Amino acid sequence: MEVYNEKELYNSIKDAYLSGKKVMIIGYGKHSNPRKSDIYLKIKMDYYKIEKEGYVEAYAGASVDKIREEASEYGLLLPCLYDGSIGGLLANNEFSPLSTRYGKPYDFTEKVFFITLFGKISWKIIIGSKGRLGAIYKARLKLFPKPTKVFTFEKSFNKKDETIAYVNKLMHLKPLAMLVEYDGKYTIHASYDFDAEIHGFSKDEGVATIEENNSRNGYYVNTPTIEDFMNAIEDTQPIYAYTVVGSGISKFYVADEDVIKKLNYFTHDDLPRVYWKLKAILDFKNIFA
């Protein structure tokens, strides 16, 4: 079912409640696996407006790519690499290499509005709730000055201690983004909005990115420091892993789920415990799948 305004969205949620049906909120459907539901609400509200003061006000169905492109024309940056809708960006609160400097979407969102059975609510706690507390329909996000040039310095290491030392050294130069990958060796990708003097690293333009997927063997792990990331690798010996330094989050790909259970991990569709507590209040009939 497609919804094009706030009234349609609220009425659809109310009808689901009265008929005892499960409902799942969907944006573009690129970044979430379908959960068992009776109704799939596709948010088609795609209006947005970029303000010269450095903000964008956008409805949940607005394209992140389009906003980023238009903001760029004004010399502004929406600091994420997400390629779905604004609603999906906030529902998932996905980190990216740019999270080193700008944080996750929660950090650069000023206001967010969502709809529940209680009506319209403005509360940032909805960010990261995967659509299970209510339906995000509008938000106001901060934009930042766009860097005129970005240089990424890259180097691989075999030793844990040497990698940690270089990460800490490069962080003192205040990078735009800092991505560390592991695939049997460690590779640092450090991005700056100036041409830094870093010897022994290859240099390229642009920010390093990761080709993401929501495969079942991918797990998010809470790693507050680069040392925590390295220790988790030693404990689990993943096929592949990466972290965005400063985000506190890593992603691990392992062949056997049992090896990850010793860590503080979650999957793409998991909810932190605090959201389940809020769900008992905001969605007491458990209609949001």
Side-chain angles (χ1 to χ4, degrees), residues 8-285:
E8 288 182 0
L9 182 58
Y10 175 71
N11 287 339
S12 297
I13 291 170
K14 183 179 178 181
D15 289 345
Y17 165 69
L18 292 174
S19 59
K21 293 181 178 179
K22 282 274 192 182
V23 60
M24 182 178 177
I25 310 301
I26 298 176
Y28 291 176
K30 290 183 177 181
H31 300 276
S32 295
N33 298 315
R35 298 184 287 271
K36 187 177 180 181
S37 302
D38 301 300
I39 301 169
Y40 295 91
L41 289 182
K42 296 182 180 180
I43 307 300
K44 293 293 185 177
M45 297 176 279
D46 60 359
Y47 174 77
Y48 69 88
K49 181 180 180 182
I50 292 175
E51 303 171 1
K52 293 181 180 179
E53 295 79 10
Y55 290 90
V56 58
E57 187 166 288
Y59 281 85
S63 164
V64 174
D65 280 341
K66 287 183 180 179
I67 292 171
R68 195 163 45 230
E69 289 170 9
E70 187 171 326
S72 180
E73 294 173 3
Y74 291 100
L76 297 170
L77 172 71
L78 179 61
C80 67
L81 303 177
Y82 192 79
D83 62 349
S85 66
I86 284 290
L89 173 71
L90 299 182
N92 289 303
N93 197 31
E94 193 74 47
F95 71 116
S96 78
L98 293 172
S99 296
T100 299
R101 178 175 294 183
Y102 301 105
K104 295 188 281 295
Y106 182 95
D107 301 300
F108 54 83
T109 299
E110 184 182 69
K111 292 181 181 179
V112 61
F113 300 88
F114 63 103
I115 291 177
T116 72
L117 294 171
F118 299 102
K120 185 191 302 183
I121 299 174
S122 176
W123 194 11
K124 282 179 66 175
I125 195 67
I126 192 71
I127 298 174
S129 64
K130 316 287 186 182
R132 289 195 174 111
L133 299 183
I136 293 172
Y137 75 90
K138 188 170 69 170
R140 180 178 165 87
L141 296 89
K142 183 172 175 55
L143 303 174
F144 298 84
K146 179 189 172 185
T148 55
K149 279 279 190 178
V150 176
F151 300 93
T152 292
F153 298 84
E154 179 180 308
K155 187 174 182 179
S156 295
F157 301 86
N158 292 313
K159 295 180 180 179
K160 168 185 172 181
D161 292 343
E162 189 177 14
T163 307
I164 291 173
Y166 265 99
V167 166
N168 291 331
K169 179 180 178 180
L170 294 171
M171 284 297 288
H172 283 296
L173 296 176
K174 298 182 179 179
L176 187 71
M178 174 80 78
L179 174 68
V180 180
E181 294 181 275
Y182 172 80
D183 60 0
K185 63 182 181 299
Y186 302 101
T187 302
I188 298 173
H189 309 268
S191 301
Y192 297 89
D193 48 4
F194 61 94
D195 194 356
E197 290 288 335
I198 302 175
H199 300 291
F201 282 65
S202 65
K203 184 174 74 173
D204 200 356
E205 292 192 17
V207 176
T209 60
I210 294 291
E211 290 294 329
E212 272 296 353
N213 64 69
N214 294 329
S215 63
R216 293 182 180 180
N217 64 343
Y219 302 90
Y220 295 89
V221 179
N222 291 305
T223 51
T225 67
I226 187 64
E227 289 85 357
D228 292 322
F229 174 65
M230 301 290 192
N231 292 335
I233 285 173
E234 290 183 341
D235 287 341
T236 60
Q237 294 296 304
I239 301 166
Y240 172 74
Y242 71 88
T243 189
V244 174
V245 182
S247 73
I249 299 290
S250 303
K251 194 163 185 182
F252 280 59
Y253 289 87
V254 298
D256 184 357
E257 184 179 357
D258 288 337
V259 303
I260 206 83
K261 287 183 177 178
K262 63 183 77 173
L263 303 178
N264 184 8
Y265 79 97
F266 55 97
T267 66
H268 182 268
D269 285 329
D270 280 344
L271 278 184
R273 195 171 299 172
V274 64
Y275 288 113
W276 289 116
K277 292 179 179 179
L278 286 168
K279 189 171 176 65
I281 300 170
L282 295 175
D283 183 25
F284 55 92
K285 284 291 186 179

